[in-house]
């Protein structure tokens, strides 16, 4: 009887194990991320620095994600970037919508007005670019230096039209700082992206372009009729080492734009880890770095924690800026 009882117990255990195995085999296998294309949102128009970086970077993220990953770049320009940022923030946090986050617009828009996002509404994947601002005029202009620009602006209040990528952008804030530094008044002309600003300065539609040095230099090297007057970094840029800083020309102005990647808040940890790793590997890839150099894109990788600290510090900075020099236009 004891032997029979033991045999029954063994048979019961084997039956249970067999049933569990059958259930496991019958269940559909969970596909490995990514199963379908990932949308990479750019909040500005085609042809600008963010758009060009996104299209150059996408194949490298695909390479390091593996599993046949495919990334589709989508332009969502308008409202200084707010349209695209909001679309990223409200997307499903499943890893199939990611996008570029551009400062200061990412931070300044919610400071200035009610917005559908805040920078804390994103899971940060990593920062790629840190591009200082600059001022450029058409090569047909007699303006050769910032001193020339200040003198002309003083003699012709409001006649210096300045193209930027939107209200509250680094370009716009740079214009306001220069006005404050020189006691001048210029006229702001916002566009949906740097590509539009380049077209406007090339055609003579505007007097001056406020534009990141990487974008400006890429356009100049491609033949756009633009003359850069100075760079808003503490030291001269490796991109244009012969170009003096604003500080060298008597204007203590520093301003730049971070361009990083984020996703809607709440990504599954394993998917976030994959994206963070793939973006880091993409930025470190020698082929991508060579491509970025050829595009005059100044790389500055920041891991998620470092990126968060930078955005937090920038928010404090721009809230103080808003109190001293509100940039809203009515």
């Amino acid at each position: 009887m004891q032997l029979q009882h033991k045999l029954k117990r063994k048979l019961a255990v084997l039956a249970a194990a067999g049933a569990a195995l059958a259930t496991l085999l019958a269940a559909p296998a969970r596909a490995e991320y990514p199963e379908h294309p990932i949308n990479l949102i750019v909040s500005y128009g085609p042809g600008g620095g963010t758009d060009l970086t996104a299209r150059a970077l996408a194949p490298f993220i695909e390479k390091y994600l593996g599993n046949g990953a495919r990334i589709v770049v989508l332009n969502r320009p308008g409202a200084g970037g707010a349209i695209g940022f909001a679309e990223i923030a409200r997307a499903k946090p499943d890893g199939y919508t990611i996008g570029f986050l551009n400062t200061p617009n990412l931070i300044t828009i919610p400071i200035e007005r009610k917005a559908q996002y805040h920078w804390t509404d994103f899971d940060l994947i990593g920062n790629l670019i840190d591009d200082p601002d600059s001022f450029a005029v058409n090569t047909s202009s007699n303006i050769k230096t910032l001193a020339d620009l200040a003198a002309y602006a003083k003699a012709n209040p409001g006649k210096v039209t300045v193209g930027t990528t939107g209200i509250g952008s680094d370009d716009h804030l740079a214009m306001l700082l220069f006005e404050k530094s020189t006691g001048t008044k210029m006229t702001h002309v916002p566009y949906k992206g740097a590509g539009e600003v380049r077209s406007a300065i090339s055609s003579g539609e505007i007097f001056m372009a406020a534009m990141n040095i990487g974008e400006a230099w890429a356009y100049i090297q491609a033949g756009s009729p633009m003359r850069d007057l100075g760079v808003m970094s503490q030291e001269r840029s490796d991109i244009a080492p012969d170009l003096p800083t604003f500080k060298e020309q008597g204007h203590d102005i520093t301003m730049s734009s971070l361009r990083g990647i984020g996703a809607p808040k709440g990504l599954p940890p394993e998917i976030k880890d994959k994206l963070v790793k793939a973006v880091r590997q993409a930025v470190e890839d020698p082929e991508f770095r060579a491509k970025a150099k050829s595009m005059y894109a100044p790389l500055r990788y920041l891991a998620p924690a470092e990126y968060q600290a930078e955005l937090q510090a920038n928010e404090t900075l721009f809230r103080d800026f808003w109190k001293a020099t509100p940039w809203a236009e009515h």
Side-chain angles (χ1 to χ4, degrees), residues 123-266:
D123 273 341
L124 302 176
I125 306 302
N127 187 70
L128 282 76
I129 306 287
D130 189 349
D131 201 354
D133 264 277
S134 70
F135 284 168
V137 294
N138 192 289
T139 51
S140 64
S141 171
N142 292 325
I143 305 297
K144 304 286 180 67
T145 66
L146 293 180
D148 293 342
L149 175 63
Y152 183 87
K154 281 181 180 177
N156 300 274
K159 286 192 178 180
V160 176
T161 49
V162 184
T164 78
T165 52
I167 298 169
S169 65
D170 51 320
D171 316 321
H172 183 207
L173 301 186
M175 181 196 108
L176 295 177
L177 287 171
F178 189 75
E179 285 182 331
K180 194 171 184 178
S181 174
T182 57
T184 57
K185 179 62 182 173
M186 300 186 283
T187 300
H188 183 219
V189 185
Y191 291 90
K192 292 182 179 179
E196 289 188 9
V197 178
R198 173 192 57 178
S199 297
I201 191 68
S202 298
S203 67
E205 182 180 314
I206 54 175
F207 187 95
M208 186 175 75
M211 186 181 290
N212 298 112
I213 187 64
E215 293 172 325
W217 219 245
Y219 295 149
I220 289 169
Q221 300 306 312
S224 292
M226 295 165 55
R227 178 189 302 122
D228 216 309
L229 304 179
V231 61
M232 299 177 209
S233 49
Q234 285 293 327
E235 298 177 352
R236 293 195 181 195
S237 170
D238 291 340
I239 288 174
D242 294 331
L243 185 67
T245 65
F246 272 52
K247 193 170 184 178
E248 286 178 73
Q249 299 180 70
H251 304 282
D252 193 7
I253 299 173
T254 57
M255 184 66 65
S256 69
S257 174
L258 295 180
R259 298 178 202 140
I261 294 179
K265 196 79 170 178

Side-chain angles (χ1 to χ4, degrees), residues 267-288:
L267 284 180
E270 66 277 10
I271 290 178
K272 181 178 178 180
D273 289 346
K274 279 190 175 184
L275 284 168
V276 169
K277 184 178 180 182
V279 167
R280 178 179 55 77
Q281 289 176 312
V283 177
E284 292 174 350
D285 189 291
E287 186 181 347
F288 172 71

Side-chain angles (χ1 to χ4, degrees), residues 290-313:
K291 190 178 286 287
K293 186 175 181 180
S294 72
M295 294 165 52
Y296 303 96
L299 296 176
R300 183 190 173 205
Y301 175 74
L302 295 173
E306 298 171 296
Y307 192 15
Q308 179 179 341
E310 188 91 0
L311 294 180
Q312 183 65 66

Side-chain angles (χ1 to χ4, degrees), residues 37-175:
I38 298 167
N39 290 332
L40 174 58
I41 293 175
V42 172
S43 300
Y44 302 92
T50 306
D51 177 68
L52 296 175
T53 299
R55 295 180 190 281
L57 182 70
F60 293 92
I61 299 178
E62 291 172 343
K63 172 183 173 181
Y64 290 108
L65 276 177
N67 199 41
R70 189 163 77 86
I71 292 176
V72 180
V73 178
L74 302 175
N75 296 92
R76 296 289 188 263
I83 291 173
F85 300 149
E87 185 169 332
I88 301 166
R90 67 172 174 260
K92 187 177 179 182
D94 56 5
Y96 291 100
T97 299
I98 60 177
F100 267 85
L101 306 177
N102 301 62
T103 65
N105 305 52
L106 178 75
I107 296 169
T108 56
I109 290 170
I111 292 174
E112 175 203 331
R113 62 185 187 268
K114 185 175 175 60
Q116 297 178 42
Y117 72 90
H118 184 268
W119 70 266
T120 54
D121 295 330
F122 302 94
D123 273 341
L124 302 176
I125 306 302
N127 187 70
L128 282 76
I129 306 287
D130 189 349
D131 201 354
D133 264 277
S134 70
F135 284 168
V137 294
N138 192 289
T139 51
S140 64
S141 171
N142 292 325
I143 305 297
K144 304 286 180 67
T145 66
L146 293 180
D148 293 342
L149 175 63
Y152 183 87
K154 281 181 180 177
N156 300 274
K159 286 192 178 180
V160 176
T161 49
V162 184
T164 78
T165 52
I167 298 169
S169 65
D170 51 320
D171 316 321
H172 183 207
L173 301 186
M175 181 196 108

